[in-house]
Amino acid sequence: MVSPLVCVKRVVDSSSEVVLTEDAQGVDGRFAGFTMSAHEECAVELAVQVAAAEGGQAAVMTLGDADAVEQLRAALAVGCTSATHVVADSQGFGPADVAREIAAVVRDHEAAGTPHQLVLLGNDAADSGDFQVGIRLAYELGWPVVNGVSNVSVADGEVTASGSGPDGHETFRLPLPAVVTVLEGGVQPRYPTVPGRMKAKKAPVEERQPVATPAGPSRLRLVLPPPSASSVQVLGKGPEAAPAVVDLFEQLGVLP
Amino acid sequence: MILVLVEVSPAGEAVETSREAVTFARDLSAAGGGVPIDAVVVGEPDDALVKTLATYGVRRIHALTGAAYDAYSGAAWAAGLMAVREKAGSVVVMAAGTSRGNEVLAHVGARTGLPMAANAISFHGLSPFTVTRQVVGGAALEEMQLAQRPAIFSVAGHAVEAKPADAPADGELVLETPEVADADLVARVVSTDEPEPDLSGALKSARVVVGAGRGAGSADGFDDLLELADLLEAPLGVSRVVTSLGWRPHHEQVGQTGSRISPDLYIPCGISGAIQHWAGCSSAKAILAINNDPDAPMVTKATHAVIGDLHEIIPAINAEIRRRRGA
Ligand SMILES: Cc1cc2nc3c(=O)[nH]c(=O)nc-3n(C[C@H](O)[C@H](O)[C@H](O)COP(=O)(O)OP(=O)(O)OC[C@H]3O[C@@H](n4cnc5c(N)ncnc54)[C@H](O)[C@@H]3O)c2cc1C
């Protein structure tokens, strides 16, 4: 039996305009709304699949403010069965701080008799893009880690994980316990069903405090890139623009 | 000394993003009064690679050789990189912001307990050493301090243009076989399948890419777009919505979580130009946006645009190409 833990983060949905907080330390999500990263949606799906195949349970955790429970419930609605919420303002936590808090949850769950042999995370968070929490977690726990894979399966105490590498599709096989960070693209995250959503609403969430004071990220400030002045040349409207388009192709020398 | 991890293609060449990272290292070196630049490569490089790196200003090329490096393991590469750094005493350890580069540097960060900055685009100051890096998929920039030594950071793709140095270095090759602990070899590649032909590789190297987004309307809405791609001998690149809806396969996705492309011409049709998509296509030399919304970010950022329904415009373009060819 393998009961994976999947780690998710509440991030601003940055598909629309990005606005910074007044202190320039974070992205203001008041207008844009919040989501979890695409990589983590796939990690949740893989955790649920591994648990189902192995007769275990998938647990989800997050470190974030009170509202981050929304992302936990989103994972509960698609098949995770328990949730842990380290309640803290994640902005004050650097990658090493987050890794330490996840490791504490892993150790405490093991001590409580519900061990996780596999921890899945997103390869990089959609907001901070640090690329390191999974690897730092692996060092905290003394477990092996593979990164940026999009398929994960477990059999006979081993994880097989694969994804595209610079030289082709790469496969890794490593013993449990292990940490795996996931890149989107290998699985299709499922949509929550109505009963799934109802169940997630009522599911208990274990709340806890951080085990240590964060040292913080090494961030000075965020800035927005300068807006580029539009210099678009409109070739026309509708099908009448076709000759101008093909002229452009000829001009750029791209017509074979 | 500045130590740069240089990735080598299966053909034995320094990949472009690594040459960009070395170019970035040269700017850093110049600002620091001419600090020498060393490179670390995995496997024994041929003469041509040593020569290329020398033309980029690399003083010494440390090649990690031995069985521990035969199959990729992020921990083993990091162990080798750190062994070279300890011997040579570098103040900066850097790489290209690729999956390998970020992964190996994250191992170095975890092993040293030091912060690592992913995807830097420039340095901001030398003391304290501060880099500016891309966050939120490039929609925002972060100024991040790397005050301790070594400063560990990766360079975002296309943050600088790869350029040989004005004065080449001598480029001495040093073969190294640092020991790697068994624990660092546990998570290594056990097999690599050749990339399937014509998947995202074709997209990344194409001169022209035809893009398609939600505006295609449905899985059946791609016929005209595919015909245009065919006429231009171009691959199709799509937005994430298209792959999420299962209209097209994931390897066609362009963007932050898809391929980064840099064609001479990108033709995004029915794509709004969300920052995550833009992250993958902003290096296109020219962009012809076809969209029914004149205010869509893709249109305002493009070099050229046609406003209207792609289902009317694309067949007209296809017909015009065929007409000029006399077909
Ligand atoms: C962490 C994360 C990672 C992401 N990674 C990626 C990524 O790698 N790649 C990516 O693409 N997205 C990515 N996204 C998603 C991204 O934010 C957008 O949601 C997505 O790019 C939008 O796709 P779209 O432009 O096709 O659709 P929409 O935003 O819905 O835009 C459709 C456009 O088509 C136009 N249109 C509609 N009908 C027609 C018609 N008949 N003719 C002409 N124009 C028409 C509309 O005016 C509109 O501009 C990511 C998001 C997150 C949160």
Side-chain angles (χ1 to χ4, degrees):
Chain A
M1 191 180 84
V2 174
S3 293
L5 173 70
V6 57
C7 307
V8 301
K9 181 179 184 186
R10 178 178 176 81
V11 293
V12 172
D13 182 348
S14 53
S15 47
S16 49
E17 199 191 349
V18 168
V19 179
L20 300 183
T21 53
E22 246 167 55
D23 64 1
Q25 288 299 312
V27 178
D28 194 335
R30 276 178 304 176
F31 313 106
F34 292 86
T35 181
M36 69 171 84
S37 111
H39 303 322
E40 289 158 19
E41 284 175 1
C42 291
V44 168
E45 177 60 33
L46 287 166
V48 170
Q49 288 185 9
V50 166
E54 286 287 303
Q57 309 273 315
V60 59
M61 75 148 286
T62 194
L63 181 148
D65 63 16
D67 293 334
V69 75
E70 205 186 301
Q71 277 59 49
L72 291 177
R73 298 219 184 270
L76 288 165
V78 290
C80 289
T81 52
S82 64
T84 304
H85 187 175
V86 183
V87 187
D89 175 5
S90 64
Q91 213 167 282
F93 285 71
D97 302 315
V98 178
R100 186 189 51 233
E101 296 300 332
I102 300 171
V105 169
V106 171
R107 289 193 193 103
D108 288 354
H109 284 187
E110 166 138 47
T114 52
H116 308 293
Q117 305 82 349
L118 177 66
V119 181
L120 296 164
L121 306 94
N123 184 65
D124 54 288
D127 55 354
S128 53
D130 281 314
F131 290 89
Q132 318 164 44
V133 172
I135 290 176
R136 291 191 190 255
L137 170 68
Y139 281 85
E140 281 279 338
L141 294 169
W143 295 2
V145 56
V146 289
N147 264 70
V149 292
S150 38
N151 293 287
V152 176
S153 61
V154 165
D156 305 326
E158 274 191 338
V159 195
T160 302
S162 67
S164 86
D167 307 335
H169 193 83
E170 296 174 335
T171 302
F172 298 81
R173 205 167 300 124
L174 57 162
L176 293 171
V179 176
V180 173
T181 79
V182 174
L183 261 189
E184 95 163 314
V187 281
Q188 202 60 51
R190 68 191 76 182
Y191 287 108
T193 57
V194 174
R197 231 177 263 171
M198 298 303 285
K199 216 166 105 199
K201 244 187 216 164
K202 289 189 233 120
V205 170
E206 175 204 353
E207 275 191 16
R208 48 187 282 158
Q209 297 302 308
V211 291
T213 311
S218 314
R219 165 175 299 171
L220 296 178
R221 67 184 74 80
L222 295 182
V223 289
L224 292 179
S228 51
S230 173
S231 56
V232 60
Q233 186 191 342
V234 177
L235 300 179
K237 282 193 180 155
E240 286 77 51
V245 167
V246 183
D247 286 348
L248 176 73
F249 292 165
E250 283 178 348
Q251 196 187 315
L252 294 175
V254 297
L255 265 189
Chain B
M1 190 254 287
I2 298 170
L3 194 58
V4 189
L5 173 69
V6 169
E7 292 174 57
V8 179
S9 73
E13 289 158 359
V15 301
E16 185 182 3
T17 43
S18 288
R19 285 183 285 113
E20 291 169 1
V22 179
T23 309
F24 187 111
R26 275 208 322 271
D27 290 344
L28 194 56
S29 157
V35 189
I37 300 166
D38 281 16
V40 170
V41 299
V42 176
E44 200 172 330
D46 62 16
D47 291 347
L49 177 58
V50 173
K51 200 158 164 244
T52 303
L53 291 177
T55 62
Y56 273 76
V58 174
R59 171 190 70 166
R60 202 167 283 153
I61 297 109
H62 305 264
L64 300 176
T65 59
Y69 305 101
D70 286 350
Y72 174 72
S73 151
W77 281 31
L81 188 61
M82 284 182 67
V84 172
R85 126 112 189 131
E86 268 150 38
K87 215 171 72 180
S90 69
V91 292
V92 171
V93 176
M94 55 186 285
T98 58
S99 51
R100 289 272 201 266
N102 280 322
E103 177 175 357
V104 173
L105 291 184
H107 277 274
V108 174
R111 281 161 184 255
T112 53
L114 295 176
M116 166 217 164
N119 292 329
I121 55 167
S122 60
F123 57 94
H124 198 73
L126 282 184
S127 61
F129 184 45
T130 311
V131 293
T132 299
R133 71 180 192 103
Q134 292 174 339
V135 291
V136 202
L141 304 173
E142 178 185 26
E143 287 167 19
M144 183 169 166
Q145 215 170 69
L146 299 167
Q148 290 155 284
R149 294 290 169 261
I152 305 161
F153 69 92
S154 67
V155 181
H158 306 310
V160 293
E161 197 189 327
K163 263 197 239 127
D166 292 337
D170 287 342
E172 180 199 353
L173 175 65
V174 189
L175 298 183
E176 312 258 4
T177 46
E179 288 237 343
V180 176
D182 288 345
D184 291 333
L185 296 171
V186 172
R188 67 199 307 216
V189 170
V190 292
S191 67
T192 305
D193 299 332
E194 289 292 313
E196 290 153 64
D198 203 34
L199 294 183
S200 68
L203 201 56
K204 288 177 198 153
S205 58
R207 275 193 71 213
V208 183
V209 174
V210 175
R214 197 200 297 266
S218 71
D220 301 326
F222 288 81
D223 292 353
D224 298 327
L225 291 156
L226 288 167
E227 189 188 352
L228 175 61
D230 205 35
L231 288 167
L232 294 174
E233 294 176 9
L236 191 71
V238 301
S239 72
R240 184 164 113 204
V241 169
V242 169
T243 58
S244 301
L245 290 168
W247 294 351
R248 298 293 304 173
H250 184 265
H251 69 257
E252 290 181 354
Q253 183 173 316
V254 169
Q256 183 192 337
T257 49
S259 295
R260 287 177 191 232
I261 58 171
S262 45
D264 290 342
L265 177 65
Y266 181 44
I267 313 171
C269 308
I271 298 182
S272 62
I275 188 74
Q276 294 85 0
H277 188 83
W278 184 248
C281 68
S282 57
S283 342
K285 287 204 185 80
I287 294 180
L288 167 63
I290 297 178
N291 201 302
N292 55 16
D293 175 5
D295 298 321
M298 187 56 92
V299 174
T300 54
K301 288 179 186 169
T303 50
H304 301 83
V306 175
I307 309 303
D309 185 343
L310 71 92
H311 295 295
E312 295 170 8
I313 297 166
I314 305 292
I317 296 173
N318 293 344
E320 178 68 15
I321 296 176
R322 282 194 305 264
R323 193 186 63 76
R324 291 198 196 183
R325 283 186 184 156

